[in-house]
Amino acid sequence: MPIHLIRGDITRVAPDAIVNASNADVSPGGGVSGAIHAAAGPGLAQAGASYRREHGPLSPGQVAITPGFALPARFVIHALGPVWHGGRAGEADALASAYRNSIEVADEYELVSVAFPSISTGVFGYPVTLAAPVALDAVDAALAAAQHVRDVTFVLFDEVTYAAYERALGEMEDGRRGGCADCRVSGNDRSH
Ligand code: ADP
């Protein structure tokens, strides 16, 4: 499976693009955005500001792409995830869109490898146990449709976040095997 999980700092990895959990203004924020802007240098904030001037603010689920400046990654994809409002305000759809649109723009740029943080599960308050399966399903589906993107790594900063994604990835793989498990169960039923 072309989806990998590692624990670490996304500013240190060198795929074709890293994804930033951006704010609507594509400007430096706290959390992973602060770390990415600090490592990229001031060019990234300038590129974000010129995007904002030209296109207006991002809506939840939308993305912008800029160069990576001093980062090891060539590009930064700035994705706006949803703020968690309890789960009935379209949060899952917006989160899935943030991942799907990130892979789609990477594919338009003919990029092969993309690294994601856990979008929305920090300051934006999306519970990570709910966000992880949405993120993995969205990436899995977008990868199946992509022409160029082949390799997605989730770079997860803390143990709790890593554990939630590890579990969700295991469940996604078990779900695939589930079809065959059902076949075996019905086979057993017939033999009784
Ligand atoms: P959001 O506002 O979308 O919730 P945050 O930046 O607050 O974004 O948090 C998103 C996730 O990024 C959290 O799991 C946080 O621990 C993680 N994070 C913070 N710094 C880094 C980093 N340098 N590399 C990877 N992930 C990070």
Side-chain angles (χ1 to χ4, degrees), residues 8-11 20-22 30-36 79 81-82 116-126 128 155-158 161:
D9 177 348
I10 201 164
T11 65
N20 179 21
S22 183
V32 71
S33 166
I36 289 172
F116 285 95
S118 178
I119 297 170
S120 284
T121 66
V123 174
F124 281 7
Y126 205 126
V128 69
V155 183
L156 305 163
F157 203 52
D158 60 90
T161 303

Side-chain angles (χ1 to χ4, degrees), residues 1-6 15 17 19 99 102-103 106 111-117 135-136 138-140 142-144 146 148-155 165 169:
M1 144 136 3
I3 301 178
H4 310 281
L5 310 180
I6 62 171
V19 177
Y99 285 98
S102 295
I103 293 192
L111 307 183
V112 174
S113 54
V114 180
F116 285 95
L136 290 165
V139 165
D140 189 48
L143 271 173
H148 302 280
V149 181
R150 286 277 166 274
D151 180 354
V152 169
T153 303
F154 283 85
V155 183
Y165 277 75
L169 186 61

